[in-house]
Each structure stands twice: as structure tokens, then as C-alpha cells.
Amino acid sequence: MEAFLSNIDRVVDGFSWTVRLTLISALLSFVLGILLTAMRASPVPLLRGIATVYVEGIRSTPLTLVLLFCGLGLNSALGVALADSVQWDVFWWAVIGLSAYTACFVSESLRAGINTIPLGQVEAARSLGLTFTQNLRLIVLPQALRTVVGPLGSVLIALTKNTTVASVAGLGVQEASREMKLMFDQGVAPVLPTFVGFALGFLILILPTGYFFNWLSKRVAVVR
Amino acid sequence: MTSTPLVVLENVNKHFGDLHVLRDIDLTVNSGEVVVVIGPSGSGKSTLCRTINRLETIDSGVITLDGQPLPAEGRGLARLRSDVGMVFQSFNLFAHKTVLQNVTLGPIKVLKQGKAAAEARAMELLERVRIANQAHKYPAQLSGGQQQRVAIARALAMNPKVILFDEPTSALDPEMVQEVLDVMTDLASEGMTMVVVTHEMGFARRAANRVVFMADGQIVEENTPDEFFTNPRSERAQDFLSKILTH
């Protein structure tokens, strides 16, 4: 245990990358998820089609494949670079892969939320003369979002854990589980305490997230 | 009263699948007129009401508002809708917004009024529908009758040329019907142009300039309320009135 604790700054550093990956990917996937949802709700068949194909396609692809495509396909094989240093280059590719993947789940949650809004409210907004985007922005999405705060929390938790895939799927991104593996490989501390230590780290990140989203979903719920 | 045609439907037809819900409808609503549409359920009266602001599309025919044909979609349609108020059977207030926000949303976002001006006007209107003291509550905290009066204030806030009422009292508990009808009667007497789909025969008698009787997607009879209720000409209307007036 002491051997593990004496390496605690490596653990903290690993988790700091996990948090960075999670927060940036969460933000991007949220924005992309809203965009996809808007497209799927739009009256334009082409936009609906593109968004549906995207969501269904990426959602049915294992995250490992998505990240491998970003790392080996786009980054290594095609040589698309996003940053000067390798460390940041793979970091941003991981962010893109995670966001592209997670956005599908954000979008599906939001779509479920939209389905709970009575059609009458949408008609009322229309009859006031609101345009489609105003209707979406002012009436539909605010209520849909409040309804799916809980499910979005689950998506965020899944994303937090999914960051661990980024280091094994060809990208070698710095994050907690990679740090753990390095510590195993280098034999700096016994396996069991190291394992438990990192598992605890994830618990410390994820449990409060879950409680926070539960609290938030009650607080912002729309009474009907 | 002026008799400028405000809403004109010419030869309007609509199908829901095989069902021919509107058959060759011709109807003119003049400015300042209160037209009450009655008829058995399934006669197409709600659908008729909803075509006037294009919540329902039509298959053929022409609908004009103030001489302009209804645009099919886009900003032109949104602009037209802002001129046509709508009050629904199920109120349809925005559940995540307060009463005041429900009333000011259209003026601020569509008419681009300033917030202060929109709120001042909204409070006047809420006063007029006798619910100003509830301005900061959410719709779910109000009774059905109160919600419907807010919905009327929301429609009025757009300064519409005409207000459509689609069975505005049908979802209300009996003791709340009157408070909503009172507000509507006031509006009618103030010269608001109104198209009202309703089963409230008392309101039709009291407030309507004209009664339109529909059955099976057609306008069967049009007359003044006095004439219509005391002396219905068509068999369908006689039959309908005997059913609703005897119990």
C-alpha cells in the first residue's frame, strides 16, 4: 500500500487526464447531440436522414472501432494531425472519437425527452408565429433537457469510463487506466493495491456525478 | 359594424386518408364578426378551425386572411400565424414558463417588443381576464379555467386580427366553464373577430353574430343564432338540436 501511495502523484496525474478527456468530450458531444436532435426533429427530410444514419451508424459501432478509426485510420494512416506534440495530437483524436460516439447517446436521450412534450404546446408555439428554430430553442429543447437530466447523467458516467478505451484503442492517450497499466508494467507497486486504488479513483469521480444529476433532475423537473 | 371579409375559405377540401373531413367548404368571416361553429363530433368543425392558421394543411381550395392567401410554410406562414390567435381545448400553456412568460413570449420573440413593454401589456391583459394575481405561477399550479384564461391573454397579446377558439371549454370542469365564457363574451362585445368551435349553445345564442352548423364535413346551415335555434331549416340541424336541447 505504501508503494502505491508513494506514487500517488502519478495516480492524480492519470486521473487529471481522465477528467480533461471527459469534460471536453462531454461538452462537444452535448453540442453535437443537440445539433443531431435538431436535425432529426427538423421538417427537412435530408437533414433528418443524415442525422438518423449518423446516430444509428455510430451507435451500432463499438467504441473501440470508432477510436481505432480516429487513431490508426485518420491520425496514423492518413496523417491528419491536430496538434504539434504527439501527446496532444492523440488527446484531441481521442476527444473527437469519444464525442462522435457519445453524441449519439445524448441525441437519443434528448429525442426521448422531446417525445414527452405534448404536441399541443408545439402547436401553441407555432400559432404564436414562432419559427421552427425558435420553437425548438424556446419551447421544445428546454423542456426536453429538463426531462432527461437523469439519463444524460448516465451518459456522462458512461463517457467517464469510456475514456479508458482511448488508451488501448491504438491512441495511447494519457489517462488513469493507462497510468495504472504502466505502473503494473514497471512494477512500482503491488498489483492489488494499485488496482483497488484506481478503482476507488473512478468511484470518487463517478458517484458524486450520479448523485448530482439525480438531485438536478428533481430540481429542474417541469411539473405538468 | 364593418363588413370587410377578413377570413375567406373557398372550396376547401381535406382528407384524412379515406375520410373526407372537409367537403367544399365556403366560409367568410367578416371583420368584427363572431362566428360560432357547431355540429356533432367528427363533423370536421375543429379541423376547419385549424386550417385557418394552417395547423392543418388543405388538399384543395383557397384560404385568405385579409386578402392574402395563406403561405405554405416558412417565415411567411409564421408571420401569418402571429396575426391569428388560437385558443385550444387543452390550453397548451408552456409548462416550463410562468403565466407572465407565457403571455410575453410571442410579443418579445415574434413582435420584437421590449421586455418591459411586453410585460406591462401582459399585465393589462391578465387583469382583463381576471388573473393578474397569478402572473408568477406556473401553469400546473392553476385550475383549468384559469389556464384557459391565460391562454386567451396569450393570444390577445399578439394583437391578432382574429382569434380561433377550438372547443375552449370542452376540457373544463363544469363550474369553470362560465368564467371562460364570460371572458369570451366580453371579447365578442368589444368587437374582436372570433371563430368559435363550441358545444356551448348558450354562448352561441348570446354572443354569436352567425351560427355555422357542420355535419359530415360540410357546412349544412348558416344563420343568425335566433333563426338557427328557433327555426332550423335542415333535418340534420333539427336532429342535432333536439338531441342537445332536450336533456
Side-chain angles (χ1 to χ4, degrees):
Chain A
M1 200 66 204
E2 294 92 73
F4 173 76
L5 289 176
S6 67
N7 283 286
I8 197 76
D9 34 334
R10 288 185 65 175
V11 180
V12 171
D13 183 62
F15 274 107
S16 81
W17 285 97
T18 299
V19 170
R20 270 176 261 194
L21 269 178
T22 305
L23 290 182
I24 298 175
S25 305
L27 195 71
L28 281 180
S29 57
F30 186 66
V31 173
L32 183 59
I34 286 185
L35 189 70
L36 286 168
T37 312
M39 286 168 74
R40 292 182 89 176
S42 88
V44 184
L46 181 69
L47 292 181
R48 275 206 308 272
I50 293 173
T52 306
V53 168
Y54 178 89
V55 170
E56 296 297 338
I58 305 284
R59 192 166 65 127
S60 322
T61 310
L63 177 60
T64 316
L65 265 66
V66 174
L67 288 167
L68 275 173
F69 176 74
C70 290
L72 293 180
L74 296 172
N75 187 222
S76 305
L78 296 179
V80 188
L82 295 172
D84 292 335
S85 73
V86 174
Q87 190 188 17
W88 282 102
D89 197 24
V90 291
F91 176 84
W92 286 112
W93 276 113
V95 164
I96 286 180
L98 286 166
S99 307
Y101 180 80
T102 309
C104 299
F105 296 92
V106 172
S107 170
E108 281 295 279
S109 300
L110 279 174
R111 205 160 65 98
I114 286 181
N115 288 338
T116 66
I117 297 165
L119 181 62
Q121 282 189 45
V122 179
E123 289 188 339
R126 264 186 219 152
S127 63
L128 285 178
L130 296 185
T131 60
F132 169 77
T133 36
Q134 283 179 321
N135 205 334
L136 202 64
R137 195 162 50 80
L138 300 167
I139 307 300
V140 177
L141 280 179
Q143 292 189 72
L145 268 172
R146 288 162 187 236
T147 323
V148 298
V149 166
L152 284 180
S154 302
V155 171
L156 180 61
I157 287 172
L159 170 64
T160 312
K161 297 187 287 185
N162 282 345
T163 55
T164 59
V165 182
S167 62
V168 285
L171 281 163
V173 180
Q174 178 73 329
E175 47 81 30
S177 81
R178 180 167 186 267
E179 197 59 41
M180 180 179 75
K181 239 171 77 231
L182 287 176
M183 284 167 71
F184 289 160
D185 294 347
Q186 295 159 1
V188 294
V191 169
L192 201 60
T194 310
F195 191 81
V196 171
F198 276 95
L200 274 175
F202 275 102
L203 274 182
I204 289 167
L205 275 187
I206 286 169
L207 279 180
T209 309
Y211 288 126
F212 172 72
F213 273 84
N214 276 343
W215 170 81
L216 190 66
S217 74
K218 287 195 190 93
R219 209 191 129 88
V220 300
V222 180
V223 187
R224 290 209 184 95
Chain B
M1 187 193 295
T2 56
S3 57
T4 339
L6 186 59
V7 180
V8 179
L9 290 85
E10 273 174 77
N11 207 14
V12 169
N13 278 280
K14 179 178 178 67
H15 297 77
F16 283 132
D18 288 338
L19 191 66
H20 199 165
V21 281
L22 295 179
R23 297 169 188 255
D24 305 322
I25 299 286
D26 289 305
L27 179 69
T28 300
V29 180
N30 291 319
S31 185
E33 200 180 16
V34 177
V35 173
V36 169
V37 184
I38 62 174
S41 49
S43 58
K45 53 193 192 307
S46 275
T47 310
L48 173 73
C49 185
R50 289 163 56 87
T51 58
I52 298 174
N53 68 352
R54 217 180 154 81
L55 284 180
E56 300 284 355
T57 56
I58 56 175
D59 299 337
S60 65
V62 183
I63 301 178
T64 57
L65 179 83
D66 225 355
Q68 304 289 318
L70 258 63
E73 53 192 81
R75 290 191 176 272
L77 179 59
R79 207 170 304 122
L80 168 122
R81 280 173 171 158
S82 69
D83 278 338
V84 180
M86 179 104 188
V87 175
F88 300 84
Q89 180 175 354
S90 45
F91 331 131
N92 297 342
L93 296 180
F94 307 127
H96 63 309
K97 295 196 174 288
T98 63
V99 164
L100 187 63
Q101 288 168 338
N102 265 275
V103 181
T104 55
L105 183 82
I108 292 173
K109 298 296 176 181
V110 178
L111 303 180
K112 310 292 178 196
Q113 290 177 5
K115 189 166 179 253
E119 284 185 350
R121 167 91 174 123
M123 287 311 294
E124 273 173 40
L125 291 169
L126 289 171
E127 202 76 58
R128 189 159 146 199
V129 299
R130 301 169 201 112
I131 199 155
N133 55 341
Q134 317 275 6
H136 298 288
K137 287 193 175 167
Y138 284 88
Q141 296 170 286
L142 305 184
S143 73
Q146 292 174 321
Q147 289 191 51
Q148 194 61 300
R149 286 184 281 141
V150 173
I152 293 172
R154 178 174 69 178
L156 286 172
M158 299 298 289
N159 301 316
K161 292 175 177 164
V162 51
I163 303 189
L164 312 172
F165 292 84
D166 185 7
E167 303 205 24
T169 57
S170 300
L172 295 175
D173 291 334
E175 75 270 24
M176 291 165 187
V177 169
Q178 201 52 48
E179 64 190 52
V180 172
L181 289 180
D182 286 346
V183 168
M184 289 169 60
T185 310
D186 288 353
L187 278 182
S189 63
E190 287 160 22
M192 174 59 76
T193 311
M194 294 160 65
V195 176
V196 185
V197 174
T198 188
H199 294 290
E200 296 296 332
M201 299 304 144
F203 174 79
R205 269 177 186 277
R206 202 168 54 243
N209 300 111
R210 185 151 49 109
V211 172
V212 170
F213 175 72
M214 282 186 78
D216 300 323
Q218 284 175 307
I219 292 180
V220 179
E221 198 168 334
E222 269 186 81
N223 219 328
T224 60
D226 271 353
E227 244 339 87
F228 177 78
F229 285 110
T230 50
N231 213 353
R233 285 174 306 208
S234 64
E235 218 168 283
R236 290 299 308 260
Q238 289 162 9
D239 183 49
F240 177 73
L241 287 176
S242 72
K243 276 179 190 149
I244 54 163
L245 295 179
T246 44
H247 66 84

Short mmCIF file of all heavy atoms in Angstrom, two decimals, chain B residues 28-50:
data_model
loop_
_atom_site.label_atom_id
_atom_site.label_comp_id
_atom_site.label_asym_id
_atom_site.label_seq_id
_atom_site.Cartn_x
_atom_site.Cartn_y
_atom_site.Cartn_z
N THR B 28 -67.04 32.82 -45.11
CA THR B 28 -66.44 34.15 -45.00
C THR B 28 -66.70 34.66 -43.59
O THR B 28 -67.83 34.63 -43.12
CB THR B 28 -67.06 35.11 -46.03
OG1 THR B 28 -66.82 34.59 -47.33
CG2 THR B 28 -66.42 36.50 -45.91
N VAL B 29 -65.63 35.11 -42.94
CA VAL B 29 -65.77 35.73 -41.63
C VAL B 29 -65.39 37.19 -41.79
O VAL B 29 -64.27 37.51 -42.20
CB VAL B 29 -64.86 35.05 -40.59
CG1 VAL B 29 -65.03 35.72 -39.23
CG2 VAL B 29 -65.15 33.56 -40.50
N ASN B 30 -66.34 38.06 -41.49
CA ASN B 30 -66.07 39.48 -41.64
C ASN B 30 -65.38 40.04 -40.41
O ASN B 30 -65.48 39.49 -39.31
CB ASN B 30 -67.38 40.24 -41.89
CG ASN B 30 -67.96 39.92 -43.24
OD1 ASN B 30 -67.23 39.82 -44.24
ND2 ASN B 30 -69.26 39.71 -43.29
N SER B 31 -64.71 41.15 -40.63
CA SER B 31 -64.02 41.82 -39.54
C SER B 31 -65.02 42.21 -38.45
O SER B 31 -66.06 42.78 -38.73
CB SER B 31 -63.32 43.05 -40.10
OG SER B 31 -62.56 43.66 -39.13
N GLY B 32 -64.70 41.86 -37.21
CA GLY B 32 -65.57 42.20 -36.09
C GLY B 32 -66.68 41.20 -35.84
O GLY B 32 -67.47 41.35 -34.91
N GLU B 33 -66.74 40.18 -36.66
CA GLU B 33 -67.84 39.23 -36.55
C GLU B 33 -67.48 38.08 -35.60
O GLU B 33 -66.32 37.68 -35.49
CB GLU B 33 -68.12 38.65 -37.94
CG GLU B 33 -69.49 38.04 -38.08
CD GLU B 33 -69.74 37.48 -39.49
OE1 GLU B 33 -68.76 37.30 -40.25
OE2 GLU B 33 -70.90 37.21 -39.79
N VAL B 34 -68.48 37.54 -34.93
CA VAL B 34 -68.27 36.35 -34.10
C VAL B 34 -69.04 35.20 -34.75
O VAL B 34 -70.27 35.22 -34.81
CB VAL B 34 -68.77 36.57 -32.66
CG1 VAL B 34 -68.62 35.29 -31.85
CG2 VAL B 34 -68.01 37.71 -32.00
N VAL B 35 -68.30 34.23 -35.25
CA VAL B 35 -68.92 33.09 -35.91
C VAL B 35 -68.75 31.87 -35.02
O VAL B 35 -67.64 31.53 -34.64
CB VAL B 35 -68.27 32.82 -37.29
CG1 VAL B 35 -68.79 31.54 -37.91
CG2 VAL B 35 -68.53 34.00 -38.22
N VAL B 36 -69.86 31.25 -34.67
CA VAL B 36 -69.79 30.05 -33.84
C VAL B 36 -70.06 28.84 -34.73
O VAL B 36 -71.03 28.81 -35.49
CB VAL B 36 -70.81 30.11 -32.69
CG1 VAL B 36 -70.93 28.76 -32.01
CG2 VAL B 36 -70.39 31.17 -31.67
N VAL B 37 -69.15 27.87 -34.66
CA VAL B 37 -69.29 26.66 -35.46
C VAL B 37 -69.75 25.53 -34.54
O VAL B 37 -69.08 25.22 -33.55
CB VAL B 37 -67.95 26.28 -36.12
CG1 VAL B 37 -68.13 25.08 -37.04
CG2 VAL B 37 -67.38 27.46 -36.90
N ILE B 38 -70.88 24.94 -34.84
CA ILE B 38 -71.35 23.82 -34.03
C ILE B 38 -71.63 22.62 -34.93
O ILE B 38 -71.65 22.74 -36.16
CB ILE B 38 -72.61 24.18 -33.21
CG1 ILE B 38 -73.76 24.54 -34.14
CG2 ILE B 38 -72.34 25.30 -32.25
CD1 ILE B 38 -75.07 24.75 -33.40
N GLY B 39 -71.84 21.50 -34.29
CA GLY B 39 -72.11 20.29 -35.06
C GLY B 39 -71.71 19.07 -34.27
O GLY B 39 -70.98 19.19 -33.27
N PRO B 40 -72.17 17.90 -34.69
CA PRO B 40 -71.83 16.68 -33.96
C PRO B 40 -70.33 16.41 -34.03
O PRO B 40 -69.65 16.93 -34.92
CB PRO B 40 -72.62 15.59 -34.69
CG PRO B 40 -73.06 16.18 -35.97
CD PRO B 40 -73.05 17.66 -35.84
N SER B 41 -69.81 15.62 -33.09
CA SER B 41 -68.37 15.34 -33.13
C SER B 41 -68.05 14.54 -34.38
O SER B 41 -68.86 13.74 -34.85
CB SER B 41 -67.92 14.61 -31.87
OG SER B 41 -68.76 13.53 -31.61
N GLY B 42 -66.87 14.81 -34.93
CA GLY B 42 -66.49 14.18 -36.18
C GLY B 42 -67.03 14.89 -37.40
O GLY B 42 -66.88 14.41 -38.52
N SER B 43 -67.67 16.06 -37.19
CA SER B 43 -68.25 16.75 -38.34
C SER B 43 -67.21 17.60 -39.07
O SER B 43 -67.49 18.13 -40.14
CB SER B 43 -69.41 17.63 -37.89
OG SER B 43 -68.96 18.55 -36.92
N GLY B 44 -66.01 17.72 -38.49
CA GLY B 44 -64.96 18.48 -39.16
C GLY B 44 -64.82 19.91 -38.67
O GLY B 44 -64.03 20.67 -39.22
N LYS B 45 -65.54 20.27 -37.62
CA LYS B 45 -65.51 21.68 -37.20
C LYS B 45 -64.16 22.09 -36.61
O LYS B 45 -63.66 23.17 -36.90
CB LYS B 45 -66.67 22.00 -36.25
CG LYS B 45 -66.80 21.08 -35.05
CD LYS B 45 -68.16 21.30 -34.38
CE LYS B 45 -68.23 20.63 -33.02
NZ LYS B 45 -67.88 19.18 -33.03
N SER B 46 -63.54 21.20 -35.82
CA SER B 46 -62.21 21.52 -35.30
C SER B 46 -61.18 21.60 -36.43
O SER B 46 -60.33 22.49 -36.44
CB SER B 46 -61.75 20.47 -34.30
OG SER B 46 -62.26 20.75 -33.02
N THR B 47 -61.28 20.66 -37.35
CA THR B 47 -60.36 20.66 -38.49
C THR B 47 -60.49 21.96 -39.27
O THR B 47 -59.50 22.59 -39.64
CB THR B 47 -60.65 19.46 -39.41
OG1 THR B 47 -60.70 18.29 -38.62
CG2 THR B 47 -59.58 19.32 -40.47
N LEU B 48 -61.73 22.39 -39.48
CA LEU B 48 -61.98 23.65 -40.17
C LEU B 48 -61.28 24.80 -39.47
O LEU B 48 -60.57 25.60 -40.07
CB LEU B 48 -63.49 23.90 -40.22
CG LEU B 48 -63.91 25.27 -40.77
CD1 LEU B 48 -63.70 25.32 -42.26
CD2 LEU B 48 -65.35 25.58 -40.41
N CYS B 49 -61.45 24.84 -38.16
CA CYS B 49 -60.85 25.89 -37.35
C CYS B 49 -59.32 25.87 -37.52
O CYS B 49 -58.68 26.91 -37.70
CB CYS B 49 -61.25 25.65 -35.90
SG CYS B 49 -60.74 26.89 -34.73
N ARG B 50 -58.75 24.67 -37.48
CA ARG B 50 -57.29 24.54 -37.53
C ARG B 50 -56.70 24.82 -38.90
O ARG B 50 -55.50 25.09 -39.01
CB ARG B 50 -56.88 23.16 -37.04
CG ARG B 50 -57.09 22.97 -35.53
CD ARG B 50 -57.07 21.51 -35.14
NE ARG B 50 -55.86 20.82 -35.54
CZ ARG B 50 -54.74 20.79 -34.81
NH1 ARG B 50 -54.71 21.38 -33.64
NH2 ARG B 50 -53.68 20.16 -35.25
#
